[in-house]
Amino acid sequence: MDANITIIGAGVVGLAIAERLSAEHKDVFLIEKHLTFGQETSSRNSEVIHAGIYYTKDSLKSRLCVEGKWLLYDYCKKYNVPYNNCGKLIVATSEEEIAIIEGIRQTAIRNGVDDLLLIGREQIGELEPNIFALKALFSPSTGIIDSHSLMKQFETNAINNSCQIVYGSEVTGISKIKGGYKISLLDSDKNQYEFTSGIVINSSGLTSDKVSEMVGINDDSLKILFCKGEYFRLNPPKNRLIKRLVYPVPHQNMEGIGIHVTIDMGGGVKLGPDVKYLESNIYDYKLTASKQEAFYISAKKFLPFLEFDDLSPEMAGIRPKIQKPGEPLRDFYIMEETNRGYPGFINLIGMESPGLTSSIAIAKYVNGLIRDTI
Ligand SMILES: Cc1cc2nc3c(=O)[nH]c(=O)nc-3n(C[C@H](O)[C@H](O)[C@H](O)COP(=O)(O)OP(=O)(O)OC[C@H]3O[C@@H](n4cnc5c(N)ncnc54)[C@H](O)[C@@H]3O)c2cc1C
């Protein structure tokens, strides 16, 4: 085999896996179609280190998020990756929502997040004097991170571990051969070439269902639906009125977690993302200025100082959802595919939020799958 392990996709998840595996294994390759890392979902998100509050008990999302956040904080300290453990408030703005946040607290406790505090107006006023809430849950372990610096550090460590990172090459075909897989690539000069790899890890984000189909796995329940989320910026100087993350109560089936307020490492504040399944899987990052009214109305409930003109369109990201509209919450799909007849082929599909938070824990989990395979 030309390679021992090949990882497809240099987003935050693929990079974390590359760093981890190259520390233990020889001949690890990371293949990315763009000319550098993090050009898709990993650089179009809220950059929140989630606490792991909302997910279904014992799901991978829950377990990898809770483990991943601590691993991520430790990693940031070790490598000086910028982060801010600023905390988050989930706000109830009506009597009905107070009952909902109590329920969220119970879910969080079942998930091993036992540090949430239910606080009243006085304490809310001390933490965030400019917001409106009757009650709130305060999550002290939530934070924000500079995701570009994180990916850069993963890349640096992977390279130092002798991982071969190949940018500008798209995987166009995969076929099973004795003892591994043959991978076809198209480089940025439109040259085609092939190589072989014992293990293949599909971490290709929005097209991970297509890459899985290349090897022969056709499964309707793993079809990705592009689900767009747009953000609006809170213009200066009002960005200075918020110091933490502020979330409304989430939608019932967690298609998204409500238009929330996130701060970033540069002092910016944004509102969003909203949730819109796209009709087809196209990379549509266009911003919809006409959504400003809906964002304004939604956020005004807990940001009383907000005026319509305080907002400007900022950016959009696309979630790789395997959960169809209206369906219950789906888990990450992380699977070594021996049972389907593809030993040593590891799929990561539906890696939406909290994929950034969980990235180091995901890498550890995938390393465990490989140990079991070899
Ligand atoms: C709006 C939004 C907000 C979010 N907010 C948060 C948050 O606050 N906190 C959090 O924890 N998570 C958040 N997430 C989720 C997080 O961004 C993702 O889980 C994470 O970025 C997924 O990383 P990835 O490496 O799997 O995918 P990607 O970043 O999409 O990387 C996949 C890579 O594979 C490459 N690729 C695809 N096909 C091929 C091919 N055939 N050949 C070669 N390369 C290929 C792509 O070019 C891409 O670089 C959010 C997501 C969205 C959309």
Side-chain angles (χ1 to χ4, degrees):
M1 293 289 154
D2 300 313
N4 184 11
I5 300 171
T6 299
I7 302 144
I8 305 168
V12 71
V13 174
L15 287 162
I17 295 171
E19 179 196 310
R20 175 82 195 208
L21 298 189
S22 58
E24 284 193 29
H25 304 273
K26 285 204 173 80
D27 297 326
V28 176
F29 282 65
L30 173 61
I31 312 289
E32 167 56 52
K33 67 181 173 190
H34 293 294
L35 295 175
T36 185
F37 62 78
Q39 295 300 290
E40 298 197 351
T41 311
S42 296
S43 48
R44 292 174 168 275
N45 59 61
S46 305
E47 299 189 294
V48 172
I49 302 176
H50 286 298
I53 297 171
Y54 307 104
Y55 309 105
T56 314
K57 184 174 159 38
D58 294 332
S59 62
L60 285 175
K61 281 185 178 172
S62 163
R63 285 164 41 206
L64 297 173
C65 184
V66 173
E67 183 188 3
K69 77 177 164 188
W70 299 124
L71 291 172
L72 198 51
Y73 280 126
D74 287 347
Y75 190 92
C76 289
K77 284 177 205 147
K78 182 169 178 189
Y79 292 107
N80 289 321
V81 174
Y83 75 100
N84 177 1
N85 181 194
C86 54
K88 149 173 136 175
L89 289 166
I90 305 169
V91 295
T93 55
S94 65
E95 289 299 325
E96 199 189 6
E97 288 181 354
I98 293 176
I100 299 176
I101 59 172
E102 245 312 308
I104 292 172
R105 188 155 167 261
Q106 297 309 324
T107 310
I109 291 170
R110 283 196 295 276
N111 284 345
V113 185
D114 53 10
D115 58 355
L116 296 190
L117 299 170
L118 188 61
I119 59 175
R121 291 187 79 157
E122 201 177 319
Q123 283 167 295
I124 295 168
E126 282 164 18
L127 292 172
E128 288 293 336
N130 300 306
I131 67 168
F132 168 76
L134 295 172
K135 281 201 172 163
L137 276 182
F138 178 59
S139 164
S141 68
T142 305
I144 54 169
I145 183 168
D146 173 351
S147 55
H148 182 87
S149 300
L150 176 69
M151 288 190 276
K152 184 74 201 154
Q153 190 63 52
F154 286 153
E155 185 204 43
T156 302
N157 289 356
I159 291 169
N160 288 343
N161 293 338
S162 304
C163 176
Q164 302 285 328
I165 305 187
V166 184
Y167 288 122
S169 285
E170 181 172 0
V171 173
T172 52
I174 307 171
S175 51
K176 194 175 157 200
I177 54 172
K178 191 162 177 286
Y181 296 88
K182 188 169 77 184
I183 300 172
S184 309
L185 295 175
L186 190 65
D187 74 11
S188 43
D189 298 322
K190 303 284 173 224
N191 297 315
Q192 263 187 315
Y193 59 106
E194 287 175 347
F195 73 104
T196 56
S197 180
I199 288 171
V200 177
I201 299 169
N202 170 19
S203 181
S204 58
L206 288 163
T207 51
S208 51
D209 56 342
K210 299 279 173 287
V211 169
S212 179
E213 283 166 21
M214 285 177 195
V215 78
I217 298 172
N218 286 293
D219 181 341
D220 269 352
S221 74
L222 297 179
K223 285 253 180 297
I224 285 183
L225 301 171
F226 281 25
C227 182
K228 185 173 172 183
E230 292 187 49
Y231 296 86
F232 279 75
R233 179 176 55 249
L234 178 59
N235 298 328
K238 288 198 178 163
N239 60 323
R240 295 200 207 111
L241 297 177
I242 300 287
K243 300 277 174 273
R244 295 174 179 76
L245 305 163
V246 185
Y247 284 49
V249 295
H251 303 177
Q252 280 308 313
N253 66 353
M254 290 289 297
E255 275 176 8
I257 41 183
I259 303 266
H260 47 264
V261 179
T262 52
I263 60 173
D264 64 36
M265 292 303 300
V269 173
K270 52 186 185 295
L271 265 57
D274 66 348
V275 181
K276 184 173 184 272
Y277 281 91
L278 298 178
E279 276 165 27
S280 60
N281 285 5
I282 42 163
Y283 292 80
D284 168 11
Y285 294 119
K286 280 193 306 292
L287 300 175
T288 321
S290 59
K291 286 186 173 177
Q292 188 160 338
E293 180 78 20
F295 272 69
Y296 166 70
I297 291 169
S298 173
K300 179 83 179 171
K301 280 190 215 149
F302 55 95
L303 302 182
F305 60 80
L306 193 66
E307 301 296 335
F308 182 80
D309 290 333
D310 293 332
L311 301 178
S312 334
E314 166 124 330
M315 65 137 182
I318 302 176
R319 306 169 182 87
K321 284 232 179 246
I322 47 177
Q323 175 186 347
K324 298 189 176 59
E327 266 187 9
L329 183 66
R330 287 279 301 271
D331 201 3
F332 290 149
Y333 180 83
I334 307 178
M335 191 64 69
E336 195 280 324
E337 299 285 12
T338 296
N339 286 346
R340 296 188 202 246
Y342 300 98
F345 191 90
I346 298 176
N347 260 326
L348 292 98
I349 305 181
M351 303 308 290
E352 54 173 335
S353 194
L356 167 64
T357 309
S358 313
S359 51
I360 300 177
I362 293 170
K364 200 175 145 199
Y365 184 79
V366 168
N367 195 33
L369 294 179
I370 285 179
R371 278 208 193 115
D372 295 344
T373 310
I374 294 172

